[in-house]
């Protein structure tokens, strides 16, 4: 199997599995227990928190709260802000956020918030003047993703944060789920208040995430109970998962092969765009403005789900876009927001590479793709 769907989820790294394994076996204590086993758990959780803080460039380990996934982090950040500040109901977000932000903001709009949706252009980029115009004195929160899960397009978070700071008192939330582990993050320097992380996108298991909460930003607890996570998210800590997230952060921090992955992606993308004259890149062509691992390419006139199925038969895992809408025949909301015409949008395939991919794999993918496309073109004739 060739796995080119790393934006959907990633393989648990062997180093991460080794780090968490003892906590699934003998080290089963509760971090709140006062005995030696409990204290060992507390130390493990604290260590993991420091590893997450280090990767994100946070000032203080207390700024990191563990959650169960990226969706929870997004929901806590935005929903929590609205609960905490019932009179600051103007929110700003973009049309291309992940469903965890988009659907939540739609829900909040239905229950009394006013949401301004920033549009993107054909390249998937924002016009920062739209943000300047949208910001008001009463704007409560701005939520903008760092990297788009479908196209890999990066939003200029530092510039956006500065505009938010200069033109409002709004809190700035960034969904960083697709960016962590793929590009450097520096929350010490960036004007960001809340930042969502999900472990399974960078080689930790599913079921663990984190929310960075800048010191001074007040959110109500996401879960009320025994007061874990300094009263911010109760429930006995999922120590094995938390240890895994910490180790995955350390692994990402030490990873030295970003250039290799980015070269592989570039070669795959270039080759597809030259081999198939009806292939079009979705997202800005300038690669410095995209994640180094992602290519979203439309095969004009062909059916994306059909390409996916045939590549799957050939042992190659890709996606048509968001993992969440793989079942529906509707074209991706992100591509619609980018005004990609239907005939292109329905033929979109996302290739997302990761640390375990190799050049022979991308070569095999190209061969399988050539066969698939030739068969589909022949059937269409
Ligand atoms: N935000 C982005 C940008 C994502 O890509 C995803 C998952 O695909 C999420 C949030 C949700 O993360 P999780 O699957 O951990 O809930």
């Amino acid at each position: 199997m060739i796995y080119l769907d790393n934006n959907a989820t990633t393989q648990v790294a062997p180093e991460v599995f080794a780090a968490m394994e003892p906590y699934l076996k003998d080290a089963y204590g509760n971090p709140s227990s006062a005995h030696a086993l409990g204290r060992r758990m507390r130390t493990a959780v604290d260590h993991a928190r420091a590893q997450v803080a280090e990767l994100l460039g946070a000032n203080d380990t207390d700024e990191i709260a563990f959650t169960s996934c990226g969706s929870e982090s997004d929901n806590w950040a935005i929903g929590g802000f609205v609960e905490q500040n019932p009179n600051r109901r103007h929110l700003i977000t973009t049309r291309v956020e992940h469903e965890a932000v988009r659907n939540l903001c739609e829900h909040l709009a239905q229950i009394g918030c006013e949401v301004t949706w920033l549009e993107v252009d054909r390249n998937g980029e924002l016009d920062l003047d739209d943000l300047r115009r949208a910001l008001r004195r009463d704007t409560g929160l701005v939520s903008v993703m760092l990297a788009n899960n479908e196209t890999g397009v990066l939003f200029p978070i530092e510039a956006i944060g500065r505009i938010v700071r200069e033109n409002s008192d709004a809190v700035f939330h960034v969904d960083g789920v697709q960016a962590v582990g793929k590009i450097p993050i520096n929350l010490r320097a960036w004007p960001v208040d809340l930042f969502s992380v999900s472990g399974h996108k960078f080689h930790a298991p599913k079921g663990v995430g984190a929310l960075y909460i800048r010191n001074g930003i007040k959110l109500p607890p996401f879960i009320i109970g025994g007061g874990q996570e300094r009263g911010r998210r109760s429930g006995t800590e999922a120590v094995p998962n938390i240890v895994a997230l910490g180790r995955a952060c350390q692994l990402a921090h030490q990873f030295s092969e970003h250039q290799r992955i980015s070269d592989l992606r570039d070669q795959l993308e270039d080759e597809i765009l030259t081999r198939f004259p009806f292939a079009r890149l979705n997202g800005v062509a300038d690669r410095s403005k995209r994640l180094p691992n992602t290519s979203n390419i439309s095969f004009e006139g062909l059916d994306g789900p059909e390409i996916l199925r045939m590549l799957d038969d050939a042992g190659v895992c890709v996606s048509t876009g968001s993992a969440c809408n793989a079942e529906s025949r509707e074209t991706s909301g992100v591509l619609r927001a980018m005004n990609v015409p239907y005939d292109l949008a329905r033929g979109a395939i996302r290739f997302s590479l990761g640390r375990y991919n190799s050049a022979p794999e991308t070569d095999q993918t190209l061969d399988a793709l050539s066969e698939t496309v030739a068969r589909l073109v022949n059937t269409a004739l």
Side-chain angles (χ1 to χ4, degrees):
M1 183 184 82
I2 296 172
Y3 188 76
L4 300 182
D5 199 13
N6 287 276
N7 287 11
T9 197
T10 57
Q11 180 189 333
V12 174
E15 296 89 336
V16 169
F17 183 71
M20 78 187 291
E21 200 178 6
Y23 297 91
L24 291 162
K25 290 177 165 169
D26 306 330
Y28 51 77
N30 185 325
S32 299
S33 297
H35 47 65
L37 190 57
R39 290 199 304 277
R40 185 175 157 202
M41 298 301 120
R42 171 65 50 217
T43 305
V45 169
D46 289 346
H47 182 59
R49 202 184 307 280
Q51 288 170 315
V52 178
E54 170 86 27
L55 181 67
L56 301 185
N59 259 325
D60 184 350
T61 54
D62 283 346
E63 293 178 316
I64 309 298
F66 293 111
T67 63
S68 69
C69 60
S71 301
E72 180 184 322
S73 303
D74 287 340
N75 273 256
W76 186 11
I78 302 170
F81 175 85
V82 171
E83 184 188 335
Q84 183 76 27
N85 303 277
N87 298 323
R88 296 178 64 194
R89 299 198 145 235
H90 178 232
L91 314 176
I92 300 176
T93 189
T94 82
R95 289 267 180 222
V96 294
E97 297 299 307
H98 184 269
E99 286 84 346
V101 170
R102 231 189 313 155
N103 291 348
L104 173 65
C105 287
E106 269 166 20
H107 169 72
L108 292 171
Q110 280 166 7
I111 59 167
C113 288
E114 188 189 342
V115 180
T116 302
W117 299 91
L118 301 177
E119 306 290 343
V120 293
D121 62 15
R122 188 67 171 74
N123 288 332
E125 294 189 287
L126 293 169
D127 179 345
L128 298 191
D129 283 334
D130 288 346
L131 171 65
R132 278 192 195 90
R133 279 189 289 270
L135 281 164
R136 310 192 309 220
R137 276 291 136 205
D138 68 331
T139 302
L141 177 132
V142 177
S143 180
V144 176
M145 69 202 320
L146 173 47
N148 188 275
N149 42 307
E150 295 191 36
T151 59
V153 171
L154 299 168
F155 285 149
I157 287 307
E158 266 192 276
I160 292 172
R162 273 197 305 275
I163 293 170
V164 171
R165 293 274 196 266
E166 283 161 15
N167 295 279
S168 74
D169 298 321
V171 162
F172 184 31
H173 167 248
V174 172
D175 177 341
V177 165
Q178 284 295 344
V180 176
K182 295 175 186 144
I183 56 171
I185 311 290
N186 187 357
L187 296 178
R188 205 169 286 130
W190 296 353
V192 169
D193 300 308
L194 299 161
F195 188 91
S196 301
V197 176
S198 174
H200 75 99
K201 304 292 186 185
F202 61 107
H203 306 289
K206 293 150 195 71
V208 65
L211 181 64
Y212 161 87
I213 308 170
R214 182 178 288 280
N215 278 337
I217 299 290
K218 204 164 160 34
L219 283 186
F222 190 72
I223 300 178
I224 296 171
Q228 288 89 346
E229 294 294 284
R230 299 175 58 239
R232 298 188 290 196
R233 186 191 186 272
S234 291
T236 301
E237 297 89 338
V239 182
N241 284 357
I242 288 171
V243 166
L245 181 66
R247 183 71 179 99
C249 283
Q250 189 190 33
L251 214 56
H253 205 48
Q254 295 164 343
F255 187 59
S256 58
E257 289 187 53
H258 291 288
Q259 193 56 47
R260 184 184 66 79
I261 296 177
S262 146
D263 289 348
L264 267 185
R265 189 282 308 266
D266 294 356
Q267 283 154 17
L268 180 70
E269 187 174 292
D270 288 342
E271 194 57 37
I272 293 175
L273 294 174
T274 8
R275 251 188 226 192
F276 310 109
F278 45 86
R280 296 273 178 282
L281 181 74
N282 293 313
V284 58
D286 179 350
R287 286 171 174 154
S288 69
K289 295 180 173 180
R290 274 190 287 137
L291 283 175
N293 79 317
T294 309
S295 289
N296 188 312
I297 296 176
S298 278
F299 297 85
E300 189 169 12
L302 301 185
D303 185 42
E306 193 70 2
I307 299 176
L308 182 149
R309 195 185 53 71
M310 289 168 71
L311 285 179
D312 189 27
D313 287 346
V316 181
C317 304
V318 294
S319 161
T320 53
S322 170
C324 311
N325 60 28
E327 294 299 308
S328 84
R329 304 294 286 181
E330 212 180 53
T331 58
S332 131
V334 170
L335 298 187
R336 283 203 307 276
M338 290 163 64
N339 270 322
V340 175
Y342 177 79
D343 224 31
L344 274 173
R346 83 181 177 100
I349 292 290
R350 178 186 70 188
F351 303 87
S352 51
L353 281 63
R355 64 194 287 150
Y356 299 117
N357 290 126
S358 63
E361 285 187 324
T362 46
D363 289 346
Q364 270 173 264
T365 300
L366 280 165
D367 291 346
L369 190 63
S370 292
E371 240 173 74
T372 298
V373 167
R375 272 170 57 196
L376 286 173
V377 169
N378 284 338
T379 337
L381 288 177

